[in-house]
Amino acid sequence: MKKYVCDVCGWVYDEAEGAPDAGIDAGTTWENVPEDFVCPLCGVGKDNFSEE
């Protein structure tokens, strides 16, 4: 499983953990995260994340 880091604030999306507060289950790959996902800390879109 991979991790993706917000380029703006550094929050990390870990595929193994998902983002339960955003309704994204553990094990959800980045490709399957909805396109309208925003960083829970700073609110930028999915296109502002880079693979760690």
Side-chain angles (χ1 to χ4, degrees), residues 3-4 6-7 9-12 15-18 20 27-28 31-33 35 39 42 49:
K3 294 181 181 180
Y4 293 82
C6 177
D7 298 331
C9 72
W11 182 82
V12 177
E15 291 180 337
E17 295 177 9
T28 302
E31 295 79 29
N32 291 322
V33 170
E35 288 303 315
C39 176
C42 70
F49 280 74

